[in-house]
Amino acid sequence: MQKWSRRLLRLYARRALQSKRQLQRARRELTRLGRGHKPLEAQAQVVGMPTACVLWAYLGDPRGYESAGAYRKAMGLNLTERSSGRYQGQLKISKRGQAVVRRLLFFAALRWSQREPVRRWYRSKKKAERGGGKSAVVAIMRKLALGLQPLAVRRGVFDVCRLFGKKRAATAK
């Protein structure tokens, strides 16, 4: 490498480390601020405190929604029919909510797809759709969205088996 290339590489590495430290500080601060806030703590056990804080910031108080379906709709995860030259009558998510909310829920769904019984459900859904892994992750996102609102309202314990039970894992509709 030439002198300027090495210098530029060092600069980029320094900036990457600064960004990583800044992200860690922000996560710690969100966790600190969320302590004692019952709805956030309830959702944080499912998606993590930073994601729960983002959900609160973009969607507001989950207790203000009349149902879990309304909360999911605010995220832009409700199904709508798409018809065009390429898609005829297929159901797709509406994407009417904030993209950042869906992005963070996507990452949470990926984490959940690695744990049982969600992993079993994910694999059977993926197999039924013939390699449609992304649509299976979106299905997990939709199920998590349904589970988050009542969790914040009732402040109970998240039971993943209620969303991804053994019966559902076997049928995988």
Side-chain angles (χ1 to χ4, degrees):
M1 287 177 97
Q2 295 181 1
K3 178 182 176 182
W4 287 104
S5 298
R6 284 193 305 266
R7 188 180 220 182
L8 200 57
L9 184 62
R10 276 194 296 269
L11 174 70
Y12 291 154
R14 235 180 280 124
R15 286 185 181 169
L17 284 173
Q18 287 172 348
S19 295
K20 184 178 179 180
R21 287 185 199 116
Q22 191 176 19
L23 179 65
Q24 290 169 342
R25 280 193 302 269
R27 282 188 177 148
R28 281 193 304 268
E29 184 67 13
L30 282 174
T31 302
R32 186 188 67 76
L33 290 171
R35 270 192 217 117
H37 196 274
K38 298 299 181 193
L40 281 179
E41 287 179 338
Q43 287 185 336
Q45 66 178 323
V46 179
V47 293
M49 186 58 84
T51 302
C53 289
V54 168
L55 290 175
W56 186 279
Y58 282 97
L59 303 174
D61 190 348
R63 297 171 293 190
Y65 290 88
E66 62 187 50
S67 67
Y71 193 60
R72 179 171 65 183
K73 187 174 184 176
M75 293 177 188
L77 290 173
N78 58 315
L79 295 177
T80 58
E81 183 179 324
R82 290 248 176 102
S83 293
S84 68
R86 186 173 177 190
Y87 303 108
Q88 285 300 101
Q90 292 182 359
L91 292 176
K92 302 280 185 177
I93 59 172
S94 70
K95 296 185 182 177
R96 289 225 170 172
Q98 295 289 327
V100 68
V101 170
R102 287 189 303 279
R103 184 178 318 119
L104 291 175
L105 270 180
F106 184 82
F107 292 134
L110 285 177
R111 286 190 303 271
W112 275 99
S113 70
Q114 301 302 312
R115 305 179 198 165
E116 292 297 338
V118 181
R119 174 193 243 161
R120 192 175 333 114
W121 186 91
Y122 169 75
R123 286 183 176 166
S124 62
K125 177 87 171 164
K126 188 176 171 181
K127 187 176 180 182
E129 307 240 344
R130 295 189 193 106
K134 188 173 180 184
S135 64
V137 174
V138 170
I140 294 172
M141 287 170 57
R142 288 176 39 81
K143 286 180 173 282
L144 285 176
L146 280 182
L148 286 173
Q149 192 266 349
L151 187 65
V153 171
R154 296 186 196 103
R155 296 184 191 121
V157 176
F158 183 72
D159 184 14
V160 72
C161 292
R162 290 189 69 191
L163 295 176
F164 303 94
K166 292 181 182 178
K167 291 179 183 178
R168 290 185 193 121
T171 57
K173 287 190 177 182

